[in-house]
Every structure is written in structure tokens, then in C-alpha cells.
Amino acid sequence: MNAFGLHSSHGQKAAALGGPVCLLLGLKVCATTPSPIHFLLLPFEASEIAVPQGSGITVRIKRPSPAPPLKSCYIITSKQHMSELFIEPGKRQNVTFSCRDPEKHFVVEIEKNIDCMSGPCPFGEVRLQPSTSELPTLNRTFVWDVRAHKSIGLELQFSFPRLKQIGPGESCTDGVTHSISGRIDATVVRIGTFCSNGTVSRIKMQEGVKMALHLPWFHPRNISGFSIANRSSIKRLCIIESVFEGEGSATLMSANYPGGFPEDELMTWQFVVPAHLRASVSFLNFNVSNCERKEERVEYYIPGSATNPEVFKLEDKQPGNMAGNFNLSLQGCDQDAQNPGILRLRFQVLVQRPQNESNKTYVIDLSQERTMSLTIEPRPVKQGRRFVPGCFVCLESRTCSPNVTLTAGSKHKISFLCDDLTRLWMNAEKTLSCMDHRYCYRKSYQLQVPEDILQLPVQLHDFSWKLLVPKDRLSLALVPARKLQQHTHETACKTSFGYLVASTTSSQDLYLGSFCPGGSIEEIKVKQNSSVTLRTFAHSFQQEASKQGLTASIIPYFKEEGIFTVTPDTKNKVYLRTPNWDRGLPALSSVSWNISVPSDQMACLTFLKERTGVVCQSGRAFMIIQEQRTRTEEIFSLEEEVLPKPSFHRHSFWINISNCSPVSGKQLDLLFQVTLTPRTVDLPVIIAAAGGGALLLFALGLIICFVKRKKRKVSKGPAVGIYNGNINTQMPQPQKFQKRRKDNDSHVYAVIDDTMVYGHLLQDSNGSFLQPEVDTYRPFQGPVGDCPPSAAPGCSRTPTAKFTADEPVPSSSPESDSEPYTFSHPNRGEVCNRDTDIPLLNTQEPVEPEK
């Protein structure tokens, strides 16, 4: 505000601090300046508006739409307070306002009707009458409504500045807006809304035109910026001309956008492009209507083309890499009266310099493929304000688009119209399916990126193989050309590519992990359908492509979600983690690791956190660590117990982790490391082992003598088992099983023949024998199979350690190496309640003890 309490803009409204202004549209303007005291009494504009007779001009001052919040501001004329004022030709009106800021409450519309049907049209430059300097500082809208015969074409020429079309919800930065409409009989058709500083230089229409120029109250513009010319019939709704001086882009829309294009109409865009540049068209958004007759289409007229006009459907890839001027036309159809639908189109024309790659053609041969597709598309990047030349992929050098999908069964010739090919990447997908389990067993596939794709000058982002096998009948084994490393925070992959392995079933997707070459994983087995994705991280993948390669083989079915075969490197630590690291191992699922330990090495197993944090809703979460040579097992509850401290293993061993149904938010995830160190044997260990061996031989001799002596005293009746009534037959309480067996002879049996003395106690009502449920643990007797350890017994919640060949032998009751350890599981209610929710995932039958 100034010293008189007025907005500074009001000093511009009335040249002498707000004196009365006399306005006579197109005739005269007079102004007087009152004294400062008089101005304080009238802190607003006072105007006299006169409209000449026969000028075809009308003036309307009204509230804007939408109306501002209610406030006591009115138009004062003839001592009356009014909210709207209409002045017809030949009328004169004195106008003042009751507030200091009328521009916030009122707008002025000046409309001129031009009838070219009853008289000559005033062709040439269109003037603002009156100019902006002679009007009160309200938001102003000048409207020219020109009516013409159907056979007359009218042309609006925009010399400076040219126009840029905007869509719904967009606005012009300077507030100056051009709204242009045409007419079909009595129906008004909106051609579009435009701002300044664009490429549109001319708009031709038939049967009249309505042009509205909106100027904000603060804008100093005082020219219309266009002229009207007479043209012959154009025989279509309109023609829009767009001129490019250099590189740039233009976004244009069909009439009535986003509403429906008029039925069975034709609209054309003419593009003027310098000869040294190239133009490409891409459709940003379109809809088609329901046609009864004809067909909706777009037509291109390209100078020099032998097939003009070139006709395309709206869903087709549009032409690109075009040199020189060209036309694009949109043709509607006769629509279904009951369900017409909507035809609309929004597209972009990009003009840029020709690139070196646009002259080179690449051949992609997918003729022998059946289930493969390749997509070339822009990388997702943030767009800046400056003009960025587009990247297009062209089929047969003419049909260009920002993204192209090449399908199987044909050869494809492509070229690139792009200034920087690093802005594009490729994604490919291939399905490998074998659903007949009799034919598929041991069938294998080579998972390698084809050479045709590697030759392209665009980076490969993803190549995915979907592997499908019969459900619950067969599984998959993935063997890499080079051993793999699992990506973790501790050992991040630093190669140019890696593999993402996931198991895909109808119920869930299990992400097994991300892997890259250069590690210790020799094989990954997946229970059912899986997805393997090769993902690149650098352009150097083309040079390292020879290092990639996986063999996918179909193998017998197993119940684990995944089995990893790992041979640690003697020089590096191996970090491994459970699948679905971010979301936790799925409920009631199991995964195993087969860790190989060389004969001259010792493996140290270390868990990198103290507890898992999992909380079970049902079932139990546990871990089994089993020596493969001696079958020694340790079972740990993962829900309550502290994870084991670092442990050393002299032989290859299994790690099996099985999950329960966890409480939401309490997921199971484990990270552990395996480190190899050279195995060392000192003299005391050798002496102790030698002494222990001699003692064991002596004990065995005594046992043999004792047994033979007992046999002599047995009668010739059938051999029977000797029952010891002093034996403790109860299951061990939930605590660590003691290694010493002092005062415990439950493992000692004499000769057990085919029929037991107490066999009648095991008979059911039909006379058949009931076999007790047993778990059998045997010492090492030969090579170990590929099956991981079985699930833990239902009663066991604590680690259970069994003897190994490397542990000291107890002093009591020496045994032979071939003697099996057998624990009978108690029936329900006898000792403990077995939890039936524990998933028993081992498919092998229990090993029967030798007789």
C-alpha cells in the first residue's frame, strides 16, 4: 500500500492517483486528476464506459467463476449497488466500486460478434478495443465470435508469440490463455486451450470460430497477437500448423479432449520440420469409440513416400525418424447410438538431430523361439526442465516408439534414434516348461543370454527364465558355470551381473537370494517352479558375458524349499543367510545347507546374532546340525534358546532350519558364516587316541567271552531277549543328554531272536504285531547320501548331542562300532505331549537296525 492506503497497482489504474476515467470504446478517452483531498474521499476507480452504436461490442462486469468468498464489494452506478453490470452497444455507464481491490471480486468480458454471412469479414490484424492501458485493472477476457458460411474457411495466424497447447488441469506461467473453439452446425467444438511460447502458428477452421484471450489484471500486454485470414473450404473440422525452428517437442490433443472427438469428423495437424532434423511421433494417451460404420484411424502424409497416405491404427507403433514436413490426420467413425464410447488422442512430436545409430540396423532372430520376448524401453530417470532429445527404437527404420517388444517366432530388424543409448535398457523373458514327469526326469536346460541380444548397443537389464515342472512330482537343480557367492551386507557382490533366484508356487513366492560368480555355492536345489533372473549392474557385462551360464536340471522331488551345496574357500569367509531375508522364512517351511569340509581342513560355524527373535503361533522352529560322516546331530530350538556359540567341524555337515507358523512381525531370519582353517593334530591327542583304542579292544574281548559263556548256559529252547527290570525306561527330561552312561544299561541286549518273549503284549485285537515308532542313529558305515537331516522329534526342545568317532569313549560298558542306538518314542500321555504341528519334512524312511 502507498501513503494513501491504496495498493500500488491502483496508482497504475488511474494515472493521477485514481482520478475519474472516461472510457468510450473505440472513440475517446478523457481523464482528470482531483486534488489529494478529493482522492482520499474516493479511494477507487471511477470510470465512464460508452459502447458505440453498431460496433458489435458488449461489455459485462461480473463476479468470477468460481465466486470469491462473500465480501461487501459492489459495482456502484447511478447510486445503485450491483453485483453485475451489462453494457450494450449504444449505451453509456458511469462505474465505480465500493472496495479498494475490485480485481479480486470482479472480471470484465469484452465480446465482439463478427457476422461474415451477411457482410464482408474484417480480415487482417485484430486489435484490442480498448487497449489494456485504457481499461480498469480487472482480469480481462476479450472474445471474438466469428460466424461464417460452411463453405468458408477461416484462418487464425499467430505471428508472435506462437502457441503451446495445454491439457486439463494445466495453466500458463504468465497467466495469458487462448481458448479456441469451432462450430459444427449449432454445436460448439472446443479445439483447445493454449499458452504462449510454443510451435502452433496457424489454426484453420470452417463454419466460424470463437477466440477468447484471457489477460490477468497485472499483465501489460496490449495486442491480440493474431490475425484472421480468408481461406477456401478445408472440408474438415480444423487444421493446426506446428512449426519447429530447431530441436524441440510439442504435445497436442484432439478436439474436445479429454472428451470425445466429434462423430465422423476429420482433424489434421501439419508439421514444418527443418530438413536437417528428424521427427518422431508417439501416442501418449488414446481411446477408441464403438464404431458402426467406417474405422477410426490415423493417416500420415509424408513427402517423398510412395505409399501416401500411410494408414495406422491408434494402437499401432507410430512412424519415426521422418525427414522434412509431414501431416497427421485423425479420422472418426459412425458411432453406435446406444453405446458411442469416446475417441480421443493425446500425442507428442519430438524433433531432433539424426543420430549415428539411426543408420545402423540390427537383426534379432527369434524365429526358433516359442516362449521368449524382448522389450527395449527407457530407463526410469527424473526429467529436468531443459529439453532432452528422446530415445526411440525403430522397426524397419520407420515405425518408431520409445519402447518396443519383440516377440518369438520371427526375425526383427531394429535401429535406434537416440542421442545417448545409455538412456535405454533391455528386459527379456523366456519360459521353459516340462510337465510330463516320465519324460522330464533328468532333462536339463542351459540358461544363457543369446548372442543376438548381446550384440545390441543397449545394456541388458534383466533376462528371466521361468522354469515350470509338475507339481509335487519333480524338483529343480541349478548348477552355475562358476561357483556363486550369496549377496549379503558383509560380502556385497561387486561383479557386473548376478542371479536372482526365487521359488514360485500358487500359494507363495520365496526369494532364495541374490547370487554372483566368485563364491562357494556349487548348487542350488529348488522344490518346485522357480524363476531365475540374470541382472546386470554395469555395461561391462558384454565383455564378461562368457562367465555367465547356469544349467537347470530336473531332479526327483524333495520337500525342502531349498537345498544349497557349499564348498567353502580356504582363503575367504562364506556368509550365508536364510531365504526371504526381508520378510522372513515362510511358515512351516524348511531349508538346508550341505557344507563340504576338505580332509585337511576344519570348519568354524558362527552365527552372527545371539537369538533369532522368532515367536511361534503354532508349531516349533528348530535347527539341526548333523555331521555327515558320523550322523551326529544337535537339535536347537530357535524360539527360546540362545543360538550356539562358534563350533568346529572336522567333517562335512548339514545345517537344516525349519520354521513354525510365526506371530506377525516376529519372523525367522538367520545369517551365519563358515570359515576354514588347517586341521592340526598334536602328540597328546595321538597318545590318548592310542590308549583309548587299546582299552576298547580289551573291553571288547571281555564282552565276547562273557556272551559266549552265557550262551552255553541257555537251553535248547527258542532264543529270547533278556529283560532287565532295573532299566530306566522313561524318556529323558528336557535337558542335554548326558554323554556318560554310568548306572544305565538300557543299551545292553543279549541275543534277540525273531520272536520276543513279551511279544504277546504288542499284539492288537486281530493278533497282528504293533511296531513301536523308533528313531535310529548309526555310526558311519559308508558314503552319505544327498538327503538333509530329518526334522526333530516332537518332544525334544533342547540340543541333543550324540557321540562321534572323535570324542572320548566312556569308561563304562564298551560297545562295538556296529551297535545301533535306538530310542523308542513314547505313546501319547505316557511321558510328554508330542506337538503334531511340527512339519516332518524328511522324505526318507527310518533306517531299520541290523539284526
Side-chain angles (χ1 to χ4, degrees), residues 16 25 193 205 233 235 296 313 346 417 425 444 461 465 479 487 551 568 625 657 701 734 747 812 837:
L25 274 69
T193 303
M205 280 172 286
S233 174
K235 298 180 180 179
E296 296 169 340
K313 295 181 179 179
R346 178 172 171 262
L417 181 62
W425 64 16
S444 62
H461 177 234
W465 292 271
V479 180
H487 174 80
T551 300
I625 301 176
I657 296 175
H747 61 290
S812 62
D837 292 332

PDB file of all heavy atoms in Angstrom, residues 16 25 193 205 233 235 296 313 346 417 425 444 461 465 479 487 551 568 625 657 701 734 747 812 837:
ATOM      1  N   ALA A  16      -3.398   9.621 -12.400  1.00  0.00           N
ATOM      2  CA  ALA A  16      -3.146  10.650 -11.387  1.00  0.00           C
ATOM      3  C   ALA A  16      -3.782  10.232 -10.077  1.00  0.00           C
ATOM      4  O   ALA A  16      -4.667  10.897  -9.556  1.00  0.00           O
ATOM      5  CB  ALA A  16      -3.687  11.995 -11.843  1.00  0.00           C
ATOM      6  N   LEU A  25     -15.443   3.230 -25.831  1.00  0.00           N
ATOM      7  CA  LEU A  25     -14.805   2.148 -26.558  1.00  0.00           C
ATOM      8  C   LEU A  25     -14.667   2.511 -28.023  1.00  0.00           C
ATOM      9  O   LEU A  25     -15.645   2.726 -28.734  1.00  0.00           O
ATOM     10  CB  LEU A  25     -15.612   0.861 -26.417  1.00  0.00           C
ATOM     11  CG  LEU A  25     -15.282   0.035 -25.169  1.00  0.00           C
ATOM     12  CD1 LEU A  25     -15.759   0.749 -23.922  1.00  0.00           C
ATOM     13  CD2 LEU A  25     -15.917  -1.321 -25.279  1.00  0.00           C
ATOM     14  N   THR A 193      -6.983 -25.327 -25.529  1.00  0.00           N
ATOM     15  CA  THR A 193      -6.506 -24.204 -24.723  1.00  0.00           C
ATOM     16  C   THR A 193      -5.001 -24.092 -24.925  1.00  0.00           C
ATOM     17  O   THR A 193      -4.285 -25.102 -24.883  1.00  0.00           O
ATOM     18  CB  THR A 193      -6.840 -24.408 -23.242  1.00  0.00           C
ATOM     19  OG1 THR A 193      -8.253 -24.585 -23.098  1.00  0.00           O
ATOM     20  CG2 THR A 193      -6.411 -23.215 -22.410  1.00  0.00           C
ATOM     21  N   MET A 205     -10.175 -23.175 -39.592  1.00  0.00           N
ATOM     22  CA  MET A 205     -11.465 -23.751 -39.250  1.00  0.00           C
ATOM     23  C   MET A 205     -12.493 -23.394 -40.300  1.00  0.00           C
ATOM     24  O   MET A 205     -12.318 -22.429 -41.051  1.00  0.00           O
ATOM     25  CB  MET A 205     -11.911 -23.279 -37.856  1.00  0.00           C
ATOM     26  CG  MET A 205     -11.248 -24.051 -36.737  1.00  0.00           C
ATOM     27  SD  MET A 205     -11.571 -23.358 -35.122  1.00  0.00           S
ATOM     28  CE  MET A 205     -10.527 -21.926 -35.180  1.00  0.00           C
ATOM     29  N   SER A 233     -12.481 -23.610 -48.552  1.00  0.00           N
ATOM     30  CA  SER A 233     -13.001 -24.674 -47.691  1.00  0.00           C
ATOM     31  C   SER A 233     -11.926 -25.719 -47.408  1.00  0.00           C
ATOM     32  O   SER A 233     -11.209 -26.154 -48.311  1.00  0.00           O
ATOM     33  CB  SER A 233     -14.207 -25.341 -48.358  1.00  0.00           C
ATOM     34  OG  SER A 233     -14.629 -26.437 -47.606  1.00  0.00           O
ATOM     35  N   LYS A 235     -12.799 -28.586 -45.725  1.00  0.00           N
ATOM     36  CA  LYS A 235     -13.545 -29.843 -45.756  1.00  0.00           C
ATOM     37  C   LYS A 235     -13.209 -30.761 -44.575  1.00  0.00           C
ATOM     38  O   LYS A 235     -13.131 -31.977 -44.702  1.00  0.00           O
ATOM     39  CB  LYS A 235     -13.306 -30.576 -47.077  1.00  0.00           C
ATOM     40  CG  LYS A 235     -13.778 -29.785 -48.295  1.00  0.00           C
ATOM     41  CD  LYS A 235     -13.528 -30.541 -49.571  1.00  0.00           C
ATOM     42  CE  LYS A 235     -14.010 -29.702 -50.772  1.00  0.00           C
ATOM     43  NZ  LYS A 235     -13.771 -30.392 -52.066  1.00  0.00           N
ATOM     44  N   GLU A 296     -11.970 -45.998 -37.129  1.00  0.00           N
ATOM     45  CA  GLU A 296     -11.129 -44.917 -36.623  1.00  0.00           C
ATOM     46  C   GLU A 296      -9.673 -45.220 -36.947  1.00  0.00           C
ATOM     47  O   GLU A 296      -9.207 -46.352 -36.794  1.00  0.00           O
ATOM     48  CB  GLU A 296     -11.314 -44.780 -35.108  1.00  0.00           C
ATOM     49  CG  GLU A 296     -12.732 -44.370 -34.734  1.00  0.00           C
ATOM     50  CD  GLU A 296     -13.014 -44.491 -33.255  1.00  0.00           C
ATOM     51  OE1 GLU A 296     -12.274 -45.220 -32.576  1.00  0.00           O
ATOM     52  OE2 GLU A 296     -13.975 -43.869 -32.800  1.00  0.00           O
ATOM     53  N   LYS A 313      -3.533 -47.822 -37.219  1.00  0.00           N
ATOM     54  CA  LYS A 313      -4.493 -47.839 -36.120  1.00  0.00           C
ATOM     55  C   LYS A 313      -3.902 -47.082 -34.935  1.00  0.00           C
ATOM     56  O   LYS A 313      -2.688 -46.926 -34.832  1.00  0.00           O
ATOM     57  CB  LYS A 313      -4.818 -49.271 -35.715  1.00  0.00           C
ATOM     58  CG  LYS A 313      -5.537 -50.076 -36.788  1.00  0.00           C
ATOM     59  CD  LYS A 313      -5.848 -51.479 -36.291  1.00  0.00           C
ATOM     60  CE  LYS A 313      -6.580 -52.271 -37.360  1.00  0.00           C
ATOM     61  NZ  LYS A 313      -6.890 -53.665 -36.907  1.00  0.00           N
ATOM     62  N   ARG A 346      -4.026 -37.982 -27.429  1.00  0.00           N
ATOM     63  CA  ARG A 346      -3.010 -37.037 -26.951  1.00  0.00           C
ATOM     64  C   ARG A 346      -1.662 -37.595 -27.385  1.00  0.00           C
ATOM     65  O   ARG A 346      -1.330 -38.738 -27.066  1.00  0.00           O
ATOM     66  CB  ARG A 346      -3.084 -36.894 -25.430  1.00  0.00           C
ATOM     67  CG  ARG A 346      -2.033 -35.970 -24.827  1.00  0.00           C
ATOM     68  CD  ARG A 346      -2.330 -35.743 -23.347  1.00  0.00           C
ATOM     69  NE  ARG A 346      -1.262 -35.036 -22.676  1.00  0.00           N
ATOM     70  CZ  ARG A 346      -0.311 -35.630 -21.964  1.00  0.00           C
ATOM     71  NH1 ARG A 346      -0.312 -36.942 -21.834  1.00  0.00           N
ATOM     72  NH2 ARG A 346       0.633 -34.924 -21.377  1.00  0.00           N
ATOM     73  N   LEU A 417      17.028 -44.338 -32.756  1.00  0.00           N
ATOM     74  CA  LEU A 417      17.050 -42.891 -32.943  1.00  0.00           C
ATOM     75  C   LEU A 417      17.209 -42.291 -31.551  1.00  0.00           C
ATOM     76  O   LEU A 417      16.240 -42.008 -30.861  1.00  0.00           O
ATOM     77  CB  LEU A 417      15.768 -42.409 -33.616  1.00  0.00           C
ATOM     78  CG  LEU A 417      15.657 -40.911 -33.900  1.00  0.00           C
ATOM     79  CD1 LEU A 417      16.733 -40.457 -34.864  1.00  0.00           C
ATOM     80  CD2 LEU A 417      14.291 -40.563 -34.445  1.00  0.00           C
ATOM     81  N   TRP A 425      17.393 -49.511 -21.898  1.00  0.00           N
ATOM     82  CA  TRP A 425      17.845 -50.820 -21.462  1.00  0.00           C
ATOM     83  C   TRP A 425      16.897 -51.881 -21.993  1.00  0.00           C
ATOM     84  O   TRP A 425      15.825 -51.574 -22.516  1.00  0.00           O
ATOM     85  CB  TRP A 425      18.035 -50.913 -19.964  1.00  0.00           C
ATOM     86  CG  TRP A 425      16.809 -50.762 -19.104  1.00  0.00           C
ATOM     87  CD1 TRP A 425      15.505 -50.851 -19.488  1.00  0.00           C
ATOM     88  CD2 TRP A 425      16.787 -50.526 -17.690  1.00  0.00           C
ATOM     89  NE1 TRP A 425      14.675 -50.680 -18.429  1.00  0.00           N
ATOM     90  CE2 TRP A 425      15.437 -50.490 -17.303  1.00  0.00           C
ATOM     91  CE3 TRP A 425      17.751 -50.379 -16.718  1.00  0.00           C
ATOM     92  CZ2 TRP A 425      15.034 -50.283 -15.988  1.00  0.00           C
ATOM     93  CZ3 TRP A 425      17.354 -50.169 -15.418  1.00  0.00           C
ATOM     94  CH2 TRP A 425      16.019 -50.118 -15.054  1.00  0.00           C
ATOM     95  N   SER A 444      17.617 -81.267 -18.872  1.00  0.00           N
ATOM     96  CA  SER A 444      18.353 -80.071 -18.433  1.00  0.00           C
ATOM     97  C   SER A 444      18.241 -78.972 -19.485  1.00  0.00           C
ATOM     98  O   SER A 444      17.990 -79.232 -20.670  1.00  0.00           O
ATOM     99  CB  SER A 444      19.823 -80.412 -18.192  1.00  0.00           C
ATOM    100  OG  SER A 444      20.431 -80.854 -19.381  1.00  0.00           O
ATOM    101  N   HIS A 461      19.262 -55.290 -18.922  1.00  0.00           N
ATOM    102  CA  HIS A 461      18.946 -55.111 -17.500  1.00  0.00           C
ATOM    103  C   HIS A 461      18.603 -56.447 -16.854  1.00  0.00           C
ATOM    104  O   HIS A 461      19.280 -56.887 -15.920  1.00  0.00           O
ATOM    105  CB  HIS A 461      17.777 -54.139 -17.346  1.00  0.00           C
ATOM    106  CG  HIS A 461      17.335 -53.938 -15.933  1.00  0.00           C
ATOM    107  ND1 HIS A 461      16.033 -54.111 -15.530  1.00  0.00           N
ATOM    108  CD2 HIS A 461      18.026 -53.616 -14.816  1.00  0.00           C
ATOM    109  CE1 HIS A 461      15.942 -53.887 -14.228  1.00  0.00           C
ATOM    110  NE2 HIS A 461      17.139 -53.590 -13.774  1.00  0.00           N
ATOM    111  N   TRP A 465      14.305 -66.396 -16.689  1.00  0.00           N
ATOM    112  CA  TRP A 465      13.841 -67.710 -17.125  1.00  0.00           C
ATOM    113  C   TRP A 465      12.815 -68.206 -16.119  1.00  0.00           C
ATOM    114  O   TRP A 465      13.085 -68.270 -14.914  1.00  0.00           O
ATOM    115  CB  TRP A 465      14.993 -68.707 -17.181  1.00  0.00           C
ATOM    116  CG  TRP A 465      16.003 -68.423 -18.252  1.00  0.00           C
ATOM    117  CD1 TRP A 465      15.985 -68.855 -19.542  1.00  0.00           C
ATOM    118  CD2 TRP A 465      17.207 -67.652 -18.105  1.00  0.00           C
ATOM    119  NE1 TRP A 465      17.091 -68.396 -20.218  1.00  0.00           N
ATOM    120  CE2 TRP A 465      17.869 -67.661 -19.358  1.00  0.00           C
ATOM    121  CE3 TRP A 465      17.788 -66.969 -17.049  1.00  0.00           C
ATOM    122  CZ2 TRP A 465      19.069 -67.000 -19.573  1.00  0.00           C
ATOM    123  CZ3 TRP A 465      18.980 -66.305 -17.257  1.00  0.00           C
ATOM    124  CH2 TRP A 465      19.615 -66.326 -18.506  1.00  0.00           C
ATOM    125  N   VAL A 479      22.948 -75.478 -11.405  1.00  0.00           N
ATOM    126  CA  VAL A 479      24.396 -75.632 -11.279  1.00  0.00           C
ATOM    127  C   VAL A 479      25.058 -74.526 -12.094  1.00  0.00           C
ATOM    128  O   VAL A 479      24.896 -74.475 -13.313  1.00  0.00           O
ATOM    129  CB  VAL A 479      24.861 -77.015 -11.776  1.00  0.00           C
ATOM    130  CG1 VAL A 479      26.372 -77.141 -11.642  1.00  0.00           C
ATOM    131  CG2 VAL A 479      24.156 -78.119 -10.999  1.00  0.00           C
ATOM    132  N   HIS A 487      24.803 -62.695  -2.017  1.00  0.00           N
ATOM    133  CA  HIS A 487      24.948 -61.267  -1.710  1.00  0.00           C
ATOM    134  C   HIS A 487      24.424 -60.983  -0.300  1.00  0.00           C
ATOM    135  O   HIS A 487      23.269 -61.269   0.025  1.00  0.00           O
ATOM    136  CB  HIS A 487      24.173 -60.436  -2.729  1.00  0.00           C
ATOM    137  CG  HIS A 487      24.156 -58.971  -2.418  1.00  0.00           C
ATOM    138  ND1 HIS A 487      25.201 -58.134  -2.709  1.00  0.00           N
ATOM    139  CD2 HIS A 487      23.214 -58.197  -1.810  1.00  0.00           C
ATOM    140  CE1 HIS A 487      24.908 -56.912  -2.313  1.00  0.00           C
ATOM    141  NE2 HIS A 487      23.705 -56.924  -1.765  1.00  0.00           N
ATOM    142  N   THR A 551      23.089 -74.204 -15.518  1.00  0.00           N
ATOM    143  CA  THR A 551      22.433 -75.399 -16.025  1.00  0.00           C
ATOM    144  C   THR A 551      21.302 -75.744 -15.071  1.00  0.00           C
ATOM    145  O   THR A 551      21.526 -75.944 -13.876  1.00  0.00           O
ATOM    146  CB  THR A 551      23.406 -76.576 -16.132  1.00  0.00           C
ATOM    147  OG1 THR A 551      24.474 -76.225 -17.019  1.00  0.00           O
ATOM    148  CG2 THR A 551      22.695 -77.811 -16.670  1.00  0.00           C
ATOM    149  N   PRO A 568      33.292 -74.280   0.926  1.00  0.00           N
ATOM    150  CA  PRO A 568      33.952 -73.021   1.299  1.00  0.00           C
ATOM    151  C   PRO A 568      35.361 -72.908   0.715  1.00  0.00           C
ATOM    152  O   PRO A 568      36.061 -73.897   0.502  1.00  0.00           O
ATOM    153  CB  PRO A 568      33.978 -73.067   2.820  1.00  0.00           C
ATOM    154  CG  PRO A 568      32.919 -74.044   3.195  1.00  0.00           C
ATOM    155  CD  PRO A 568      32.895 -75.063   2.106  1.00  0.00           C
ATOM    156  N   ILE A 625      21.960 -79.495  13.275  1.00  0.00           N
ATOM    157  CA  ILE A 625      23.319 -79.540  12.731  1.00  0.00           C
ATOM    158  C   ILE A 625      23.780 -80.986  12.807  1.00  0.00           C
ATOM    159  O   ILE A 625      23.843 -81.558  13.906  1.00  0.00           O
ATOM    160  CB  ILE A 625      24.268 -78.613  13.510  1.00  0.00           C
ATOM    161  CG1 ILE A 625      23.751 -77.154  13.452  1.00  0.00           C
ATOM    162  CG2 ILE A 625      25.678 -78.702  12.950  1.00  0.00           C
ATOM    163  CD1 ILE A 625      24.581 -76.186  14.264  1.00  0.00           C
ATOM    164  N   ILE A 657      17.244 -75.703   8.810  1.00  0.00           N
ATOM    165  CA  ILE A 657      16.456 -74.730   9.575  1.00  0.00           C
ATOM    166  C   ILE A 657      15.000 -74.884   9.154  1.00  0.00           C
ATOM    167  O   ILE A 657      14.678 -74.794   7.968  1.00  0.00           O
ATOM    168  CB  ILE A 657      16.946 -73.298   9.340  1.00  0.00           C
ATOM    169  CG1 ILE A 657      18.386 -73.150   9.858  1.00  0.00           C
ATOM    170  CG2 ILE A 657      16.020 -72.286  10.014  1.00  0.00           C
ATOM    171  CD1 ILE A 657      19.008 -71.805   9.560  1.00  0.00           C
ATOM    172  N   GLY A 701      37.073-107.776  24.043  1.00  0.00           N
ATOM    173  CA  GLY A 701      37.392-109.172  24.311  1.00  0.00           C
ATOM    174  C   GLY A 701      36.634-109.709  25.509  1.00  0.00           C
ATOM    175  O   GLY A 701      36.114-110.836  25.489  1.00  0.00           O
ATOM    176  N   PRO A 734      13.571 -82.727  29.492  1.00  0.00           N
ATOM    177  CA  PRO A 734      14.108 -81.696  28.588  1.00  0.00           C
ATOM    178  C   PRO A 734      15.400 -81.093  29.086  1.00  0.00           C
ATOM    179  O   PRO A 734      15.421 -80.049  29.711  1.00  0.00           O
ATOM    180  CB  PRO A 734      12.988 -80.648  28.547  1.00  0.00           C
ATOM    181  CG  PRO A 734      11.769 -81.369  28.962  1.00  0.00           C
ATOM    182  CD  PRO A 734      12.221 -82.414  29.936  1.00  0.00           C
ATOM    183  N   HIS A 747      21.064 -99.797  26.930  1.00  0.00           N
ATOM    184  CA  HIS A 747      21.509-100.092  25.578  1.00  0.00           C
ATOM    185  C   HIS A 747      22.082-101.492  25.434  1.00  0.00           C
ATOM    186  O   HIS A 747      22.515-101.884  24.351  1.00  0.00           O
ATOM    187  CB  HIS A 747      22.593 -99.073  25.180  1.00  0.00           C
ATOM    188  CG  HIS A 747      23.797 -99.128  26.066  1.00  0.00           C
ATOM    189  ND1 HIS A 747      23.751 -98.710  27.377  1.00  0.00           N
ATOM    190  CD2 HIS A 747      25.053 -99.567  25.842  1.00  0.00           C
ATOM    191  CE1 HIS A 747      24.946 -98.863  27.918  1.00  0.00           C
ATOM    192  NE2 HIS A 747      25.750 -99.400  26.994  1.00  0.00           N
ATOM    193  N   SER A 812      32.490 -96.819  30.864  1.00  0.00           N
ATOM    194  CA  SER A 812      31.606 -97.931  31.192  1.00  0.00           C
ATOM    195  C   SER A 812      31.096 -98.611  29.945  1.00  0.00           C
ATOM    196  O   SER A 812      30.809 -97.954  28.954  1.00  0.00           O
ATOM    197  CB  SER A 812      30.419 -97.416  32.020  1.00  0.00           C
ATOM    198  OG  SER A 812      29.684 -96.502  31.256  1.00  0.00           O
ATOM    199  N   ASP A 837       2.144 -80.252  15.345  1.00  0.00           N
ATOM    200  CA  ASP A 837       2.253 -79.158  14.376  1.00  0.00           C
ATOM    201  C   ASP A 837       3.625 -79.075  13.742  1.00  0.00           C
ATOM    202  O   ASP A 837       3.834 -78.296  12.842  1.00  0.00           O
ATOM    203  CB  ASP A 837       1.947 -77.813  15.060  1.00  0.00           C
ATOM    204  CG  ASP A 837       0.481 -77.752  15.441  1.00  0.00           C
ATOM    205  OD1 ASP A 837      -0.307 -78.405  14.747  1.00  0.00           O
ATOM    206  OD2 ASP A 837       0.162 -77.054  16.409  1.00  0.00           O
TER     207      ASP A 837
END
